[in-house]
Amino acid sequence: MRVLVTGGAGYVGSVSVERLLDAGHEVVVLDDLTTGHRASVPGAASLEIASYGDGAAMGRLFERARVDAILHCAARSLVGESVREPARYYRDNVSGGIVLLEAARQAGVGRLVFSSTAAVYGVPERTPIPETAPLAPINPYGETKRTFEGALRFYAEAYGLRSVSLRYFNVAGATERNGELHDPETHLIPSVLRAAETGAPISLFGDDYPTLDGTCVRDYIHVADLADAHLTALEATAPDDARTDAALVCNLGIGAGFSVREVVDAAAAVVGRPIPATMGPRRVGDPPVLVAAVDRAREVLGWTAQRPTLEEMIGSAWAWRRTHLDESGARIS
Ligand code: UDP
């Protein structure tokens, strides 16, 4: 099939593009390169530099590219920024998303896989979190993702759009070609590895949580596993596939959690020296434990994570940083 990957020059998008090409699909990457990297797009994919929120550009692209399905990875995705600037999140994640859906509808593209997030659950009542848990996002990022999921549900009922929304937990790791590089970087694993590179200590956000070692527990998933899930989900949106007759929602995680301390210890083992770290106060809005219930992804999509260890996730991230970043942390290849 020919797949349009929005955000295909970003971290998750680019690894998914690699996976789709490996599986023999044609890929059109759509990215405005505001946070994506041109170097992340393989030569075998074509790159369109535009925004998915630009209706005229999308109309022309669908006319020209004749895609069968869309993998919608592009979005604004920083929780803190979303609290400070909700307008940007509503404009891009909601309004922009609807522009994309409308252009797709006019072009007759009826299959879509959406990068959603565990942030739609807010602070869950219990964990592991099933997809049926109440949706109660506590920031504009999670709220705008929830809103777009809702649009997919109603587009399915009214217009027959076949979609899968994938609620990611904590994505980590790299392939040989593509890894995680944000500016500013807020995520734990790249920040830990940066501390190993520079010697400047990372601040750990609290050790007085009701967990075994007092630090927060998260469900980390290898980005290559996520890419496998995207491929499976795209296949599941085919008109003759019984897995999606409407809008399917699935968590993507490994179904188990690691604490912040376990991540730091695993990173020290990978890099072969202690990670400089200081214990700081809690970060506002951090739930103590977020772990995915992953039964639905297994039972409905037939997908499970194949790389569930911190060694694989942190080891691949470290290998990628050593080959693709210079000493200042800038990307060189
Ligand atoms: N964290 C930390 N120091 C950092 C970044 C993150 O202690 O510099 C903790 C954070 O409080 C959370 C976990 O690491 O418990 C994962 O945070 P991240 O921002 O990577 O993902 P989130 O779970 O917020 O989506």
Side-chain angles (χ1 to χ4, degrees):
M1 64 188 145
R2 181 176 296 165
V3 184
L4 177 71
V5 182
T6 72
Y11 171 43
V12 167
S14 63
V15 175
S16 303
V17 168
E18 284 185 63
R19 184 72 190 89
L20 288 166
L21 290 171
D22 282 351
H25 298 295
E26 286 178 58
V27 176
V28 179
V29 168
L30 176 76
D31 203 298
D32 64 6
L33 299 180
T34 49
T35 54
H37 307 269
R38 190 185 285 269
S40 302
V41 181
S46 63
L47 171 63
E48 299 281 337
I49 302 174
S51 165
Y52 61 90
D54 178 343
M58 293 312 302
R60 288 192 298 272
L61 175 58
F62 281 123
E63 180 71 39
R64 207 172 54 242
R66 303 261 162 225
V67 304
D68 302 298
I70 301 166
L71 176 57
H72 184 32
C73 294
R76 301 236 168 234
S77 60
L78 297 176
V79 169
E81 181 188 59
S82 80
V83 174
R84 288 191 304 278
E85 296 203 54
R88 184 176 280 185
Y89 281 69
Y90 277 90
R91 185 192 66 206
D92 291 354
N93 295 0
V94 179
S95 305
I98 299 302
V99 169
L100 173 70
L101 285 189
E102 283 303 281
R105 189 157 75 91
Q106 270 160 27
V109 181
R111 302 168 60 181
L112 185 137
V113 171
F114 174 52
S115 296
S116 192
T117 169
V120 297
Y121 298 116
V123 182
E125 284 160 13
R126 62 194 174 90
T127 181
I129 311 168
E131 290 85 351
T132 50
L135 301 185
I138 57 168
N139 51 59
Y141 169 60
E143 178 64 33
T144 55
K145 289 283 184 174
R146 186 186 74 94
T147 302
F148 192 75
E149 279 192 14
L152 294 178
R153 187 156 46 90
F154 290 113
Y155 270 59
E157 282 175 25
Y159 311 127
L161 178 67
R162 302 165 64 85
S163 70
V164 182
S165 291
L166 298 171
R167 293 178 180 160
Y168 307 164
F169 281 63
N170 291 62
V171 188
T175 60
E176 274 180 30
R177 185 187 177 108
N178 288 306
E180 183 172 18
L181 184 62
H182 298 110
D183 182 20
E185 188 55 77
T186 61
H187 291 120
L188 179 63
I189 289 176
S191 302
V192 164
L193 296 180
R194 190 71 194 134
E197 287 159 1
T198 62
I202 177 176
S203 175
L204 306 180
F205 299 146
D207 61 354
D208 57 351
Y209 285 95
T211 59
L212 278 181
D213 65 19
T215 63
C216 286
V217 170
R218 295 287 180 273
D219 186 329
Y220 295 89
I221 174 171
H222 198 299
V223 68
D225 281 329
L226 211 63
D228 288 345
H230 289 153
L231 175 61
T232 303
L234 279 164
E235 288 166 355
T237 60
D240 56 353
D241 194 302
R243 290 175 288 188
T244 47
D245 57 354
L248 176 68
V249 173
C250 271
N251 288 338
L252 291 184
I254 65 169
F258 298 108
S259 74
V260 169
R261 275 202 196 286
E262 285 175 312
V263 169
V264 173
D265 291 347
V270 165
V271 306
R273 54 183 184 273
I275 305 291
T278 55
M279 189 52 68
R282 290 183 176 195
R283 181 172 70 178
V284 176
D286 265 343
V289 181
L290 287 177
V291 172
V294 291
D295 316 70
R296 187 183 286 178
R298 187 182 62 242
E299 286 161 15
V300 178
L301 289 178
W303 170 92
T304 49
Q306 300 299 306
R307 306 157 185 89
T309 67
L310 281 180
E311 288 67 31
E312 288 166 289
M313 295 183 225
I314 299 174
S316 61
W318 181 241
W320 180 79
R321 293 180 72 89
R322 298 221 297 175
T323 44
H324 292 275
L325 304 188
D326 68 14
E327 276 181 15
S328 73
R331 184 162 182 163
I332 47 171
S333 65

